[in-house]
Structure formats: structure tokens, C-alpha cells
Amino acid sequence: MTRSYFGTDGIRGRTNQAPMTADVAMKVGQAAGAHFLRGDHRHRVVIGKDTRLSGYMMESALVAGFTSVGMDVIMVGPMPTPGVAMLTTSMRADLGVMISASHNPFYDNGIKLFGPDGYKLSDEDEIAIEGLLLEPPHLVPSDQIGRARRVEDVKGRYIHDAKMTFPADMRLDGMKIVIDCANGAAYQVAPSALWELGADVVALGVEPDGTNINDNCGSTYPQTLCERVVEEGAALGLALDGDADRLIVVDERGTIVDGDQLMALIASDWNQRGKLKGGAVVATVMSNLGLERFLEDAGLSLLRARVGDRHVLEMMRARGCNVGGEQSGHLILTDYATTGDGLIAGLQILAALVASGKPASEVLHLFEPYPQLLKNVRYNGGDPLAEESVKAAIADGEARLSATGRVLIRKSGTEPLIRVMAEGEDEGLIEAVVDDICSAVEDAA
């Protein structure tokens, strides 16, 4: 079945434009609710959101949809995506919903769905829900309409669960930490968790007004954090995105540390402590070759999944791994969470930092990244990658890089773009290989 609504991470789009309208949200609530009405118990759904202005509209529409098919609704207000996943399981809910467009601007929004196990829905569940969207809603009799209630104490529950992942014999006393919450879902819980662990917290991006989420702040714009860390003389800076499932770190010198370096640190730390499972880290095809070489030197493997934290998690579960993520900062630690969690990942970085007794700049840069270049080529119809001239250019590039690097060519999942990436030891050669392949794609397009 061709998908009309679900993408790589739920449903997402510009609000008040299809598919991100109140009408569609209500229908999604009706379809997802009907799909998860299983058994004769009283069914419930947990709904959380970030701080976007449109969150009120989408929340109300979803509540109408779920209650109309007989589901009770628990509204938890602004809450990180991993917090909604956690609450779905702890509240014994049949379904969890996060209203967020993650790192996108405020005018976008999205709907992410979690099953009763706290994991994002399978392809089969999403396809089944899309099928129900095409049918009349399964409305229940008047006396079976669901009830809705707002629960106010969930922030404390999430803070407690996050703190429990930090070693019990450690504290953050005397450590100044700057955290940028992107004016998003974690603007209350993340600074509070760090403060409760003893840190001297400088909080940025904690004044959401409905339209400033991810606006020149957070993990997609860490420049302000870099400046503030140096200005404050802080030990570390943490940057989250709008729904707090992504983390970027800044060391005490103001240098940005991406997800590849963070995975290297957590994997090596956990491996030394006997906590790492599967003898490997799961990343994506975009992760730097330097990470792969670093892990190999430590006797570990790097397994590469397709781009998207959902695909990373699927491979982690299939291979029995407990550390995975993306270069962009989605870090998945399945010992503690069923999805990416920026706060929990940050606490693991802080634990390794405290244990080392060294400055962040010495701990967080474990390998030298290989030069990496990515260019996009737009095309209009057809399949440029099927052209023999393009295949020949790709094969030639792979041969030129040989054992010193790699070439990655893929289509964008959201735009008519061919993404051409190469990395290796020789920066000049990489640039030449990428330019040659891009030229071939442009000619074919």
C-alpha cells in the first residue's frame, strides 16, 4: 500500500495545510484508536506535545478523535518525546502520541505514535491505520465515548526516571553546565534534572512563546551555546532539539561535538564497564568513517542502518545492541529508553566526564573525523541513478577511493534530490569524486 500520511517519523507537515490539519488529526485519532482497541479492558492513550502554538489545536483534535471511538485520553502537556514513550508503558496505555515536528520551525507540526511497549509503530501498524483513514470512523454509542483528563505530575516522573540512569555514587556538585532547551518540550524537565543532581545550571531556550521553538537555539543552532559556555567558564554545554530526543554537546572550549563522537564515548565507556551489548554500535550510513575505525581499534563493530532513528532502533533490536544513534545527535540507549533521549544521553556523557576527572575537550574527542563532503543534486522525474553514465561515475569514484574511503549515493525521502557523499583520507580526492558524480547526475537529470 502506498503511504499518504506516514513518513519516516510519523506524520509531519506545515500546520493548517494537509496533512497537518485539525480534521486530519481527528481522523488519525479515530483510526489509531480503533486499531488499538484490543481486548475488553478500558483503553487509554497518552498524549504529549512540545511548545508549538499549533499544539493546542492538534491536541484538541486528537482528543476528539480518540474519545469518539471509545478511548480514554490522558493529556500530559509539554513533555519530551522519550517521556511520552516512557509514560505510555508506565501508565499501561494502549497507545502514546507525541505532537511535535522535532527540530523543524514552529509553523510545522507532527504526530508520532507509540505502541503499548513504548516503541514507535511498525510498518504494519502504520499501514493498517492508513487503511482505516480511508474508511468511515468506527464511532461508539454515546454511553461508550471516552473520557479525557489532564495529569499534572508527569514532569516529576520523567525527571526521576532520567536521574535513575545516572550512577548513584556520582553527583554533579560544583560543575557548571549550560543547557539549551530550544524553547521546546524539555524547557522545564532538563534543567530541573541537572539541578537535582547538584549541577550549577545555566538554562537557555526556556522561555517558549509558541513561535520561538528551535529559533536560533537548540541542537540545530548551537552557536549561542558555544559562546555562552566560554563566557560562563562552564564545564560543558548540552543542546536539545524541540522534542528533546536529540543531543549536541559543546566542550569547555566552545567546540561542537556531534553524535558520532558521543556514541564513541558512550560505547567505549560502557564497554570498559561491561555494559555494552552486541559488541557493536548501530549508526547510519552517514556516520563518519573515523567512528568505524575507532570502534575497530577497540575490538568493536559499527553496524550501519538506513538514515532515520527508527531504522537504527530496528537494527539494534535485531542485533541485540544497546547503543546506537545518528550523527545528528539522536542517541538511543535501550537500557534506559525505547527511543532517542537527549537528556539521558547527556547524563551518560556527564557520568563519563565525572569519572575521568578530565576536561571535556580531552574526553569527548576520541577520534579525528575523516574529511566528508555531501552535495545534493535536484532532478525532475525519471531515475538518474539508473543511467549507465551515472553508474560508471559512481564505480569510478569507488575505485579511486578504494580502501581509503567510501562513496554513498542515495535519494532523499522527502525531496527530488540525489544526495552524493564521499569521505576518506584525501580531502582533495573526495571533492573531485563528489564533483564528478554530481556532474554525471546533473547530465542524466
Side-chain angles (χ1 to χ4, degrees):
M1 174 181 174
T2 301
R3 297 184 185 218
S4 302
Y5 295 94
F6 286 94
T8 56
D9 194 16
I11 304 170
R12 189 178 299 187
R14 188 150 188 161
T15 48
N16 274 346
Q17 295 181 15
M20 202 44 53
T21 64
D23 179 58
V24 171
M26 184 178 72
K27 291 177 180 177
V28 169
Q30 291 171 330
H35 180 64
F36 279 91
L37 286 173
R38 303 165 180 175
D40 56 4
H41 63 280
R42 191 70 190 175
H43 293 78
R44 63 173 52 163
V45 55
V46 174
I47 300 180
K49 60 183 180 179
D50 63 23
T51 57
R52 294 163 206 272
L53 180 62
S54 58
Y56 296 97
M57 176 183 75
M58 304 306 291
E59 180 185 59
S60 298
L62 283 163
V63 169
F66 282 117
T67 54
S68 71
V69 296
M71 263 200 168
D72 291 339
V73 177
I74 299 172
M75 295 171 286
V76 300
M79 175 62 56
T81 288
V84 172
M86 177 270 290
L87 291 167
T88 300
T89 57
S90 69
M91 291 182 167
R92 308 299 192 269
D94 301 275
L95 188 63
V97 181
M98 179 63 184
I99 305 168
S100 175
S102 190
H103 58 278
N104 287 27
F106 85 94
Y107 47 72
D108 289 339
N109 216 330
I111 300 171
K112 301 181 184 182
L113 301 177
F114 296 91
D117 58 359
Y119 288 97
K120 292 179 181 178
L121 299 191
S122 66
D123 289 337
E124 291 75 19
D125 281 325
E126 289 183 350
I127 290 171
I129 291 170
E130 288 229 358
L132 289 171
L133 285 169
L134 303 176
E135 301 176 2
H138 298 189
L139 302 179
V140 298
S142 300
D143 61 344
Q144 295 178 26
I145 291 173
R147 300 174 183 271
R149 61 181 295 187
R150 194 171 294 277
V151 178
E152 302 293 345
D153 70 341
V154 293
K155 295 180 180 65
R157 301 188 198 187
Y158 175 69
I159 290 170
H160 176 266
D161 275 23
K163 285 167 51 189
M164 290 298 289
T165 71
F166 193 73
D169 59 347
M170 286 187 182
R171 292 180 59 87
L172 297 176
D173 292 355
M175 180 178 286
K176 181 178 281 191
I177 300 168
V178 184
I179 183 163
D180 186 343
C181 299
N183 291 314
Y187 79 100
Q188 293 177 316
V189 294
S192 295
L194 295 173
W195 178 80
E196 290 184 21
L197 289 169
D200 178 5
V201 181
V202 178
L204 310 177
V206 290
E207 298 180 352
D209 63 10
T211 64
N212 62 359
I213 187 170
N214 301 313
D215 186 13
N216 291 330
C217 57
S219 63
T220 54
Y221 189 87
Q223 290 84 346
T224 302
L225 177 63
C226 295
E227 295 171 3
R228 194 63 179 272
V229 167
V230 175
E231 178 185 321
E232 295 281 350
L236 196 71
L238 305 175
L240 307 174
D241 67 339
D243 68 336
D245 64 354
R246 181 185 297 199
L247 172 72
I248 294 294
V249 173
V250 172
D251 70 21
E252 84 283 0
R253 296 177 178 175
T255 303
I256 297 171
V257 184
D258 68 12
D260 283 347
Q261 295 282 4
L262 301 182
M263 284 188 282
L265 176 59
I266 294 173
S268 59
D269 179 55
W270 284 21
N271 190 44
Q272 291 171 9
R273 292 195 279 146
K275 285 187 58 176
L276 188 70
K277 298 175 183 176
V281 170
V282 178
T284 73
V285 291
M286 297 303 295
S287 277
N288 195 274
L289 196 57
L291 173 61
E292 186 171 341
R293 299 288 188 261
F294 170 80
L295 293 172
E296 288 174 352
D297 290 343
L300 304 172
S301 300
L302 180 69
L303 306 177
R304 295 184 182 270
R306 287 187 291 160
V307 172
D309 61 319
R310 175 178 165 184
H311 301 304
V312 172
L313 182 56
E314 287 174 354
M315 184 173 287
M316 289 175 68
R317 298 179 76 182
R319 301 294 186 93
C321 298
N322 60 347
V323 174
E326 296 186 278
Q327 195 178 55
S328 60
H330 282 118
L331 303 181
I332 306 174
L333 309 174
T334 53
D335 284 4
Y336 304 129
T338 57
T339 187
D341 191 314
L343 175 58
I344 287 178
L347 292 177
Q348 307 316 301
I349 298 299
L350 285 165
L353 195 60
V354 171
S356 73
K358 299 177 181 178
S361 57
E362 294 183 24
V363 176
L364 292 172
H365 303 278
L366 294 179
F367 64 88
E368 190 65 33
Y370 279 54
Q372 190 178 74
L373 180 63
L374 171 67
K375 291 187 177 182
N376 296 319
V377 182
R378 187 170 294 274
Y379 65 97
N380 297 310
D383 183 7
L385 297 183
E387 297 293 329
E388 292 302 322
S389 58
V390 175
K391 293 179 181 179
I394 294 172
D396 178 65
E398 291 172 337
R400 289 159 70 188
L401 286 175
S402 187
T404 66
R406 66 188 183 106
V407 173
L408 175 67
I409 316 294
R410 66 184 183 91
K411 290 183 178 179
S412 167
T414 57
E415 300 177 84
L417 297 174
I418 303 295
R419 304 195 190 280
V420 180
M421 191 273 281
E423 64 178 345
E425 299 172 358
D426 187 330
E427 192 167 1
L429 177 58
I430 289 167
E431 186 172 354
V433 166
V434 169
D435 287 345
D436 289 349
I437 296 175
C438 286
S439 294
V441 173
E442 288 170 352
D443 291 344

